[in-house]
């Protein structure tokens, strides 16, 4: 059983791990607009309240790791973080965003509850340390190039700052060019090796990095299949959702249609309860 990690803001509290029912981290890939973020936050919150699922809203204020330099990156640090802080306050939920540079950590920590380390940056010592030093909860995505037990080193870098509020996230591993697969052995392996709550990112796990030449492709039809396979023991699910994924400005090929989320979560709950 993994340790519990408390994530809270001024108006709500969420705890992940320690044998509790799975939590949900969900939202759009990037902050396209404030109105879109609010629409998604309101919808997912209503679903999670109905099902009794702890919910953390996520969106990126800046996507520094886009395939093309011409791709949409977001609203930038200040505007993007202010949008997230508004959602946090108005909807009463913790929020998560990724950080790509050490200097972003302290700034983002003033606005959000969880700092996320992107998979491509999960070995970057300065970034991990800067994130840990904020005292915020940290979600570390395991790099597509890393074995499950390699995540231990990233966790130790954060723990060296005195911060043990760490989540570790599986999001697929490179399998040849422009393709990812999920080795489900990684979920119990990471849990046992780190004692950190384990998150499964079902939407990035179906990504085809750079598969469209100037953008990543993906096979969103397999998101429910992978999520169901992970439901037997993860502490949280990470799902990117959008009302019209095909029109999204980032990760259009992998995001789950917002309307499909309630049915999927009900299924995941049933599997998780049957596996207890």
């Amino acid at each position: 059983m993994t340790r519990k990690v408390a994530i809270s803001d001024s108006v709500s509290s969420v705890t992940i791990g320690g044998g509790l029912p799975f939590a949900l981290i969900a939202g759009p890939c990037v902050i396209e607009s404030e109105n879109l973020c609010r629409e998604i936050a309101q919808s997912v919150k209503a679903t999670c309240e109905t099902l009794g699922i702890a919910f953390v809203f996520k969106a990126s204020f800046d996507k520094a790791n886009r395939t093309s330099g011409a791709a949409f990156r977001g609203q930038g640090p200040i505007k993007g973080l202010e949008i997230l802080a508004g959602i946090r306050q108005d909807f009463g939920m913790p929020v998560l965003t990724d950080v790509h540079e050490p200097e972003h950590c302290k700034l983002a920590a003033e606005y959000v509850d969880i700092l996320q380390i992107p998979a491509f940056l999960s070995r970057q010592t300065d970034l991990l340390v800067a994130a840990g030093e904020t005292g915020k909860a940290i979600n570390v995505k395991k790099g597509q190039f890393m074995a499950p037990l390699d995540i231990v080193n990233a966790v130790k870098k954060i723990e060296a700052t005195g911060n043990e509020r760490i989540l570790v996230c599986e999001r697929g591993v490179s399998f040849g060019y422009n393709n990812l697969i999920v080795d489900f052995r990684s979920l119990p392996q990471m849990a046992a090796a780190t004692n950190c709550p384990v998150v499964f990112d079902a939407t990035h796990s179906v990504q085809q990095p750079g598969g469209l030449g100037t953008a990543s492709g993906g096979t969103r039809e397999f998101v429910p299949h992978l999520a169901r396979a992970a439901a037997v023991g993860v502490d949280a699910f990470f799902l990117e959702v959008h009302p019209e994924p095909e029109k999204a400005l980032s990760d259009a090929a992998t995001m789950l249609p917002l309307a499909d989320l309630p049915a999927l979560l009900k299924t995941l709950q049933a599997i998780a309860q049957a596996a207890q």
Side-chain angles (χ1 to χ4, degrees):
M1 184 180 297
T2 59
R3 63 175 174 245
K4 293 181 181 179
V5 172
I7 296 120
S8 61
D9 64 13
S10 57
V11 290
S12 67
S13 179
V14 167
T15 301
I16 298 176
L20 294 172
F22 69 78
L24 176 67
I25 301 170
C29 178
V30 67
I31 300 175
E32 298 180 20
S33 70
E34 182 173 5
N35 287 341
L36 177 70
C37 285
R38 286 179 169 268
E39 175 187 350
I40 294 172
Q42 183 175 34
S43 176
V44 180
K45 180 180 181 181
T47 296
C48 287
E49 286 181 342
T50 298
L51 298 177
I53 296 173
F55 172 45
V56 176
F57 180 80
K58 69 79 51 186
S60 299
F61 65 84
D62 178 34
K63 295 295 289 185
N65 55 355
R66 300 304 307 275
T67 303
S68 168
F72 180 76
R73 288 183 54 164
Q75 302 294 334
I78 300 303
K79 183 177 180 180
L81 290 169
E82 287 179 345
I83 289 172
L84 292 174
I87 289 172
R88 177 194 197 198
Q89 179 61 40
D90 295 345
F91 291 97
M93 63 181 67
V95 296
L96 171 153
T97 198
D98 9 21
V99 288
H100 296 83
E101 302 175 17
E103 53 266 32
H104 281 167
C105 295
K106 186 175 181 180
L107 174 64
E110 297 177 9
Y111 296 87
V112 306
D113 304 280
I114 305 177
L115 301 180
Q116 180 166 277
I117 307 298
F120 286 121
L121 302 178
S122 55
R123 286 172 56 107
Q124 297 298 105
T125 301
D126 291 346
L127 180 61
L128 291 163
V129 170
E133 287 176 342
T134 67
K136 292 288 182 175
I138 313 296
N139 184 36
V140 185
K141 289 199 167 185
K142 179 175 70 65
Q144 304 91 324
F145 45 85
M146 291 168 61
L149 297 186
D150 290 344
I151 199 69
V152 172
N153 293 314
V155 169
K156 287 182 177 178
K157 291 176 184 180
I158 298 172
E159 288 179 335
T161 70
N163 186 346
E164 294 188 345
R165 301 173 65 206
I166 306 166
L167 314 174
V168 293
C169 182
E170 171 61 64
R171 50 94 71 230
V173 63
S174 296
F175 187 69
Y177 298 123
N178 307 121
N179 196 28
L180 301 172
I181 60 169
V182 177
D183 179 356
F184 285 98
R185 294 175 299 178
S186 71
L187 304 178
Q189 285 176 334
M190 291 195 299
T194 67
N195 195 35
C196 296
V198 176
V199 182
F200 179 62
D201 180 347
T203 44
H204 283 101
S205 290
V206 301
Q207 191 180 65
Q208 295 170 330
L212 300 180
T214 58
S216 292
T219 51
R220 83 163 58 88
E221 64 269 24
F222 295 120
V223 168
H225 297 274
L226 295 184
R228 290 196 295 266
V232 295
V234 293
D235 298 292
F237 283 95
F238 182 105
L239 295 166
E240 289 189 336
V241 295
H242 195 285
E244 299 178 283
E246 64 280 359
K247 296 181 180 179
L249 300 181
S250 178
D251 280 352
T254 59
M255 281 195 282
L256 185 75
L258 184 60
D260 293 352
L261 182 63
L264 176 58
L265 290 176
K266 289 178 183 177
T267 299
L268 298 181
Q269 280 188 318
I271 294 172
Q273 290 167 1
Q276 289 179 349

